Amino acid sequence: MYDYFAAPSDELAAATIDGGPVGLFRTVETKALDPVVVMGQLEELLTGRPYDDITDDPRCGHALVLEEDGEVLVLTVTDGVRDGLSEASGLDEIAVAWARIEELEGADPLVLAGVLHELKALAVEAVKNGERLYCWVCV
């Protein structure tokens, strides 16, 4: 599971490690959208920033905290994903392109579009509140 959420600081985001962010922060729950490869490719689609630059970003999947031998983590998400989503238009078309990446092979673009709309709302609120995005991972 990959739960994306916005929080005002790395410390508050890390505090979600035990139970996850649901109920504490606005959250978008997903199953297969990892914060490095899949979201990095989304950022590339949204912003045009080269994927290699995205993965070199210190906030690209940086582990704030991990427990249970790495089976539960809180990771940072780049500001480029947040800003790209908050400013994006044409999410349905972006979802079609996103569905073509290898890691999302077989994904329904309509389902991805729905997730993108939820993530956009999360990103817009995060920008408005001066927050950053995070991902709570449970494998």
Side-chain angles (χ1 to χ4, degrees), residues 9 12 20 22 26 28 35 37 42 49 56 59 61 65 67 73 90 93 97 103 107 122 125-126 131 134-136:
S9 71
L12 289 172
V22 175
R26 182 177 180 160
V28 176
V37 177
L42 173 62
R49 183 179 179 196
D56 287 341
R59 288 197 63 83
V65 62
E67 289 188 355
L73 308 93
E93 293 81 18
E103 293 76 12
L122 178 69
E125 186 175 305
E131 297 175 332
Y134 301 88
C135 185
W136 180 82

Side-chain angles (χ1 to χ4, degrees), residues 36-105:
V36 177
V37 177
V38 173
M39 296 305 272
Q41 291 182 63
L42 173 62
E43 182 178 343
E44 185 175 36
L45 289 169
L46 292 169
T47 67
R49 183 179 179 196
Y51 179 78
D52 289 340
D53 290 353
I54 294 164
T55 58
D56 287 341
D57 186 313
R59 288 197 63 83
C60 183
H62 171 72
L64 294 176
V65 62
L66 60 106
E67 289 188 355
E68 299 176 34
D69 294 324
E71 292 185 4
V72 181
L73 308 93
V74 177
L75 304 174
T76 58
V77 176
T78 65
D79 294 336
V81 169
R82 179 199 60 196
D83 297 344
L85 281 164
S86 71
E87 298 169 6
S89 59
L91 291 178
D92 295 341
E93 293 81 18
I94 292 168
V96 170
W98 199 28
R100 291 187 192 118
I101 70 170
E102 181 180 340
E103 293 76 12
L104 295 178
E105 186 176 338

